[in-house]
Amino acid sequence: MTENNTRPLKLALHAMDARVVKTMMLFLQGPCKGAAIVVNIAKDADVDVFDADAPVSKKLLVQCLQENRLKPVIVLSLQDFAHDGILHIKKPVKTSDMLLVLNQAKTLADELSKKTTELDKDAATEAVENDLIDLFNDEFFGYIATTTWDDPVAKTGAAEILRRVDTPQKQEPKTPVNDQDGHSKTPEDQMATPAQVSPEPKPIAEIFEEQVDETAEKQESTTSVTDQDEPEKQELKTFLINQERQKTSKHQTAMRLDEKGFHAYIGSISDLDVNDPGQIINACYSPKDYFQGYVQSAFAACRTKGRALLLQSGWRPITIFPYTEEIWLDARDSELSAFAGIKLKYKTIAPKIAITPIDPKAMNLGGALDKFQSMDAFLWKLACWTSKGRYPQDIDYRHPIYLRSWPNFTRLLITPHALRIAALLIQGPRTMINVAEMLNIKPQYVFVFVSAAYSVSLVGQARRLADSLVQPPVVTPSKGQGLLGRIMSKLRGNKT
């Protein structure tokens, strides 16, 4: 093999941030096994790489397409990109696609280098011919014929003086003049007037003391006689542990659903198949059209204002307590799940929904402590019943998502494969479709988990370009079985 085939290809990444450059370097060094390297100087590169999704890189790409290209160009984008002579890789970049395009770029670079060499040779030959023609033209020979060697030499003028250096003269010392007190004063001292002499600056310590004294005087003037009295002792509030234990709905253990009980407990959309790849773009919903959106707005207002609120609707009122992160609702889960699936945007019940502040001390809950629920747990299951296997409209299924922290599954409704989905997303950002493919599960189980986690601000859309640049690595199961796995196998009666 020749040296050109063995050496790595040099890539220049135009207008990409440091995180994207670092990710690309690790990707080329790891999965691509050093097939290409990233250089800092664009002139030293063999291939120019642009990101069509980055605004600055896209502008440079437009300028590059308008000029004569001397190097191969690779474009990275989430959408399809078609242009003559341009190599395209769809993000997230796969290892096989990158290696294939690098081989194509290497072949195209050799072809462009040969054409460039031939053009340089033709341009050099044409330049030599033009120089010979200019050298032996008629004007040159006419100048030689008319010029004689007996012409007088032109006289030169006098030398130009560029710089003159004078010898310094000896100066006599200035005689001092005595003032009225008999002290000697120089002429410079005589020129200074009393108005020009600045007073001596005060030390910084004295300045701070003056500021402290002024502040103390202001505080003494504003202090009243009542402020000097001893403050009254505030009574400490005591909470009964027995009453807290009676909030069974708040502290109930999470219920785990399997795939068989998903449709019976969560439900599904009859006219939509979320597991069909062609219908995934339509498998979204807007929480604002359902009761979930009103509850989320009420929770946000309650936490911002820091006071108890009452959410009233045509159904059951919900009392929200921000300090204890609780809600009080006198309704069964079956009633809530049925009301959660109703689209309130086109119903007459939507204008009747209102939020009003209340006084918790004046409320008479009738001792129904089992009606208290945690705010996050209530919103989590409300989002599951509203989603029915769909994902929120604010999330783009083509871009990766990330999990901020591990959910508290001991108090939440556990949908099918929720722990596996959380374990995969906690490692790094991935698209929802990639999560379903890696775990070999239906997309609706990923969508319902994302909907619930997004409602309590545990899931967010990855906005960094580096998160959607390279496809995440494939998860491979470990060869050895851990201690917990062996214990679970024994409990289940599996053979080890």
Side-chain angles (χ1 to χ4, degrees):
M1 297 179 67
T2 61
E3 184 180 358
N4 294 332
N5 294 329
T6 57
R7 71 177 182 86
L9 204 61
K10 298 179 181 179
L11 306 181
L13 307 181
H14 294 273
M16 299 184 190
D17 56 13
R19 190 182 297 273
V20 173
V21 174
K22 185 66 174 179
T23 304
M24 181 60 72
M25 292 173 63
L26 296 175
F27 177 70
L28 295 173
Q29 185 180 3
C32 295
K33 298 180 180 181
I37 58 176
V38 178
V39 295
N40 297 326
I41 303 175
K43 297 180 180 179
D44 300 338
D46 301 326
V47 181
D48 293 328
V49 182
F50 298 91
D51 190 353
D53 299 327
V56 181
S57 183
K58 189 175 182 179
K59 292 180 180 179
L60 296 179
L61 175 61
V62 174
Q63 297 177 3
C64 179
L65 296 178
Q66 296 175 355
E67 300 174 354
N68 294 327
R69 297 186 299 274
L70 303 178
K71 299 178 183 178
V73 176
I74 299 178
V75 177
L76 309 175
S77 65
L78 292 169
Q79 306 296 333
D80 294 334
F81 185 88
H83 196 278
D84 295 337
I86 302 298
L87 302 175
H88 172 251
I89 303 178
K90 195 170 184 179
K91 298 192 299 185
V93 181
K94 299 180 182 179
T95 306
S96 57
D97 296 343
M98 176 60 76
L99 294 177
L100 178 61
V101 171
L102 289 179
N103 292 332
Q104 296 176 359
K106 188 175 295 185
T107 304
L108 187 59
D110 296 338
E111 296 177 357
L112 292 176
S113 62
K114 291 179 181 178
K115 292 181 180 180
T116 305
T117 305
E118 293 177 358
L119 293 175
D120 293 341
K121 289 181 180 179
D122 296 339
T125 305
E126 185 178 357
V128 171
E129 292 178 355
N130 293 333
D131 293 341
L132 292 175
I133 292 173
D134 294 337
L135 180 63
F136 297 102
N137 56 12
D138 296 336
E139 295 180 359
F140 178 74
F141 285 104
Y143 174 77
I144 295 177
T146 56
T147 303
T148 59
W149 301 103
D150 297 333
D151 293 341
V153 180
K155 296 181 179 181
T156 58
E160 182 180 359
I161 300 175
L162 300 179
R163 185 179 181 185
R164 185 187 298 276
V165 181
D166 298 332
T167 305
Q169 297 179 0
K170 185 176 181 181
Q171 298 181 358
E172 296 180 357
K174 298 180 181 179
T175 58
V177 180
N178 297 331
D179 55 1
Q180 297 178 358
D181 299 334
H183 299 287
S184 61
K185 296 177 61 179
T186 60
E188 289 77 1
D189 298 334
Q190 296 177 7
M191 295 297 294
T193 59
Q196 295 175 347
V197 178
S198 59
E200 295 183 359
K202 294 182 180 180
I204 299 178
E206 295 182 3
I207 297 175
F208 278 112
E209 289 178 0
E210 293 177 359
Q211 294 178 356
V212 171
D213 293 340
E214 293 177 359
T215 306
E217 291 176 359
K218 293 180 180 180
Q219 292 179 355
E220 290 177 359
S221 61
T222 56
T223 304
S224 59
V225 180
T226 57
D227 294 335
Q228 297 178 0
D229 298 337
E230 295 183 358
E232 298 180 357
K233 295 183 179 180
Q234 298 181 355
E235 296 181 359
L236 298 177
K237 296 182 179 180
T238 58
F239 298 93
L240 297 179
I241 301 178
N242 295 332
Q243 292 184 355
E244 184 66 22
R245 289 177 179 177
Q246 292 178 7
K247 299 177 181 180
T248 56
S249 182
K250 175 185 175 182
H251 302 290
Q252 66 182 359
T253 308
M255 182 178 62
R256 183 173 181 177
L257 299 177
D258 54 1
E259 296 183 3
K260 295 181 179 179
F262 178 81
H263 295 283
Y265 193 76
I266 300 297
S268 61
I269 305 299
S270 58
D271 56 346
L272 178 66
D273 187 7
V274 296
N275 300 318
D276 186 5
Q279 300 185 28
I280 289 179
I281 190 174
N282 299 323
C284 62
Y285 77 102
S286 177
K288 298 179 182 179
D289 298 340
Y290 298 88
F291 188 58
Q292 177 188 346
Y294 296 96
V295 172
Q296 290 183 205
S297 301
F299 283 4
C302 187
R303 290 184 173 117
T304 302
K305 296 180 180 180
R307 59 182 307 178
L309 298 177
L310 180 64
L311 178 61
Q312 294 178 334
S313 62
W315 183 53
R316 301 289 181 87
I318 298 178
T319 309
I320 309 170
F321 303 94
Y323 296 108
T324 57
E325 291 287 327
E326 296 175 340
I327 63 107
W328 188 89
L329 174 62
D330 187 8
R332 296 189 298 270
D333 287 348
S334 58
E335 298 175 355
L336 179 62
S337 62
F339 187 69
I342 300 175
K343 207 168 187 178
L344 303 181
K345 186 177 181 181
Y346 304 104
K347 297 294 182 180
T348 57
I349 194 175
K352 299 179 181 179
I353 299 178
I355 302 175
T356 55
I358 59 173
D359 186 8
K361 297 180 180 179
M363 291 189 60
N364 184 15
L365 301 179
L369 299 179
D370 58 333
K371 306 299 182 182
F372 280 92
Q373 301 184 39
S374 174
M375 293 174 62
D376 288 343
F378 174 78
L379 188 57
W380 179 285
K381 62 182 180 182
L382 179 62
C384 292
W385 288 321
T386 309
S387 168
K388 297 185 183 300
R390 298 172 295 175
Y391 60 90
Q393 191 177 10
D394 296 338
I395 293 182
D396 190 351
Y397 73 96
R398 297 168 298 182
H399 292 271
I401 59 174
Y402 65 93
L403 187 63
R404 288 188 175 91
S405 60
W406 188 266
N408 185 15
F409 285 115
T410 58
R411 295 292 181 265
L412 301 175
L413 177 64
I414 304 178
T415 54
H417 308 282
L419 277 73
R420 299 177 62 200
I421 297 171
L424 188 59
L425 286 176
I426 205 70
Q427 297 178 2
R430 292 176 181 267
T431 62
M432 294 185 290
I433 304 302
N434 180 261
V435 172
E437 292 176 352
M438 290 295 100
L439 300 179
N440 194 19
I441 59 177
K442 296 180 180 180
Q444 61 179 346
Y445 300 140
V446 182
F447 295 162
V448 71
F449 172 81
V450 171
S451 300
Y454 185 73
S455 64
V456 295
S457 302
L458 287 182
V459 165
Q461 188 88 64
R463 301 297 181 183
R464 301 179 303 185
L465 294 176
D467 295 331
S468 59
L469 179 63
V470 179
Q471 187 179 24
V474 179
V475 179
T476 56
S478 58
K479 297 181 180 179
Q481 192 178 16
L483 177 61
L484 182 60
R486 292 195 297 268
I487 294 175
M488 293 300 296
S489 298
K490 288 288 187 181
L491 295 176
R492 293 173 181 173
N494 299 335
K495 297 181 179 179
T496 55

